[in-house]
Amino acid sequence: WDSYFNRSEPIARELTSALIFIMGTLFSISSALFLWSIETRKEKLENKSFQRAQENYIKGFRDYRLGNFARARDHFQIVLNLDPSNVLAQRYYNLAKIKYDELVQFNMIQGLTYREKKNYRLCKSSFQNVLVMIQNNPQHPKYKEANDFFRECSLGLEGRY
C-alpha cells in the first residue's frame, strides 16, 4: 500500500488521504452512535416507568391472547399512560377495544335470540354476561337495554311475564 501511495499522482494521494480520513471519521461517528444507543437502551431498561410499561404490555398481551379483552385494554392503557409513543400498545389497545365491543354485542344478540325462543334461562344468562362485562356501569350505552332484558327474562323464568 505504501509503495502505491508513494508512486501515485499527488492529486490521487490527496484524494486517497481525504478518503481515508473521511472513512476514519465515519467509523468514529458510527462507533459513538452505537455506544450511545447502548447507553440509551441501558438507561431505558433501568428506568422504573419503562419497566412498569413493559410489565403491563406483557400482561396486556397475555390477556388479549386469552380473550380477556377488558383487562387487556386496561393494561395497554397503563402502557400508553407511561409511554404514549408505544405503537404496539396503541395497536393492541384498539384491537382489544374492538374485540370487547364485539363480544358485548354478540351476547346482546344471543340474549335477544333466546328471548324470542322463550328460552328465558339462557336469555337471562346472556344479558347477565353483558352486565358483568360492562361492570354494571349505568353510563355504558348498553346498560339500560341489557338490564331491561335481564329483568324481563328473569320474570319470564319465574313464569310472570
Side-chain angles (χ1 to χ4, degrees):
W1 173 257
D2 287 334
S3 64
Y4 171 77
F5 191 71
N6 289 333
R7 283 185 290 154
S8 61
E9 298 292 323
I11 239 174
R13 277 187 286 195
E14 287 178 27
L15 286 175
T16 307
S17 295
L19 185 59
I20 291 171
F21 175 76
I22 290 171
M23 289 176 65
T25 304
L26 287 175
F27 179 76
S28 298
I29 291 171
S30 65
S31 297
L33 286 173
F34 178 74
L35 291 174
W36 176 78
S37 71
I38 289 174
E39 288 299 316
T40 304
R41 278 189 235 142
K42 184 179 175 188
E43 288 172 11
K44 261 190 165 179
L45 290 174
E46 291 172 352
N47 184 335
K48 293 289 183 197
S49 66
F50 179 78
Q51 287 176 350
R52 187 163 174 240
Q54 286 297 99
E55 290 168 6
N56 278 283
Y57 178 82
I58 291 168
K59 289 176 184 177
F61 191 72
R62 180 199 60 217
D63 286 334
Y64 180 85
R65 297 225 21 211
L66 292 173
N68 299 326
F69 302 117
R71 276 190 5 199
R73 192 183 59 198
D74 293 343
H75 286 297
F76 291 129
Q77 183 61 59
I78 292 170
V79 174
L80 292 170
N81 290 342
L82 295 169
D83 182 11
S85 65
N86 192 318
V87 177
L88 283 175
Q90 183 65 52
R91 177 170 189 228
Y92 279 105
Y93 174 83
N94 292 335
L95 289 172
K97 184 177 182 336
I98 289 168
K99 293 283 192 181
Y100 170 80
D101 291 343
E102 288 173 352
L103 202 53
V104 168
Q105 189 61 30
F106 171 79
N107 278 285
M108 289 292 292
I109 292 169
Q110 193 174 30
L112 291 171
T113 302
Y114 289 135
R115 180 176 158 261
E116 288 174 10
K117 294 180 179 180
K118 299 192 184 323
N119 187 339
Y120 296 116
R121 184 179 60 80
L122 291 176
C123 171
K124 180 181 173 183
S125 176
S126 292
F127 289 115
Q128 185 175 21
N129 284 344
V130 171
L131 293 171
V132 167
M133 288 176 70
I134 63 174
Q135 301 171 343
N136 284 317
N137 178 4
Q139 301 339 57
H140 194 280
K142 297 285 184 187
Y143 175 80
K144 183 175 177 2
E145 185 181 7
N147 195 38
D148 289 347
F149 284 130
F150 174 77
R151 287 184 183 152
E152 182 181 316
C153 293
S154 296
L155 291 174
L157 193 58
E158 295 171 9
R160 299 188 325 189
Y161 183 73

